[in-house]
């Protein structure tokens, strides 16, 4: 019962996206996609030209955003690869919404 689909827990995963991902509205599009999927977390540019952050939410939705980060991104971006680490199940969401961090 509850709001979750049967057998679907919450996961948290860190990500980093490599390629031409800065100066192409990547963070804004990532935030939009995360909100559309009902996910929480954050996204920010790094000093070495990548975009990184954390995603939290129902496993299936997190998988959808991972796929989006791997293949789609913002219209002008060119993603070379996306890396995911520190995946773990969590009892409750640790963020209220999905934020762009400066």
């Amino acid at each position: 019962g509850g709001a979750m689909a049967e057998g679907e827990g919450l996961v948290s995963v860190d990500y980093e996206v490599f390629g031409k991902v800065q100066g192409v509205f990547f963070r804004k599009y990532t935030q939009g996609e995360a909100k559309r999927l009902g996910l929480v977390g954050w996204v920010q540019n790094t000093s070495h030209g990548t975009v990184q952050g954390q995603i939290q939410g129902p496993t299936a939705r997190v998988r959808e955003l991972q796929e989006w980060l791997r293949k789609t991104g913002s219209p002008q971006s060119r993603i070379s690869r996306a890396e995911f680490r520190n995946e773990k199940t969590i009892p409750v969401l640790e963020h209220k919404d999905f934020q762009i961090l400066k």
Side-chain angles (χ1 to χ4, degrees):
M4 296 287 153
E6 289 309 310
E8 185 166 286
L10 299 173
V11 295
S12 173
V13 65
D14 298 340
Y15 63 89
E16 187 167 8
V17 186
F18 299 78
K20 186 185 173 222
V21 292
Q22 290 192 5
V24 291
F25 301 106
F26 198 93
R27 291 171 302 168
K28 184 170 161 292
Y29 275 87
T30 300
Q31 182 187 48
E33 190 66 11
K35 288 191 166 186
R36 188 181 72 76
L37 290 166
L39 300 172
V40 301
W42 53 273
V43 59
Q44 70 180 167
N45 285 340
T46 70
S47 57
H48 52 273
T50 66
V51 167
Q52 70 175 14
Q54 186 175 72
I55 321 164
Q56 295 187 348
T59 307
R61 295 295 177 88
V62 168
R63 294 283 173 263
E64 281 188 63
L65 190 60
Q66 285 178 298
E67 193 69 2
W68 185 91
L69 287 166
R70 237 185 234 115
K71 301 233 170 84
T72 308
S74 65
Q76 275 95 46
S77 66
R78 286 201 300 277
I79 298 163
S80 57
R81 73 183 193 278
E83 292 181 359
F84 301 99
R85 52 181 85 88
N86 302 329
E87 183 168 316
K88 57 183 189 282
T89 57
I90 51 172
V92 293
L93 298 174
E94 296 162 345
H95 308 285
K96 285 197 209 30
D97 53 16
F98 196 94
Q99 291 185 305
I100 296 173
L101 302 183
K102 292 290 179 269

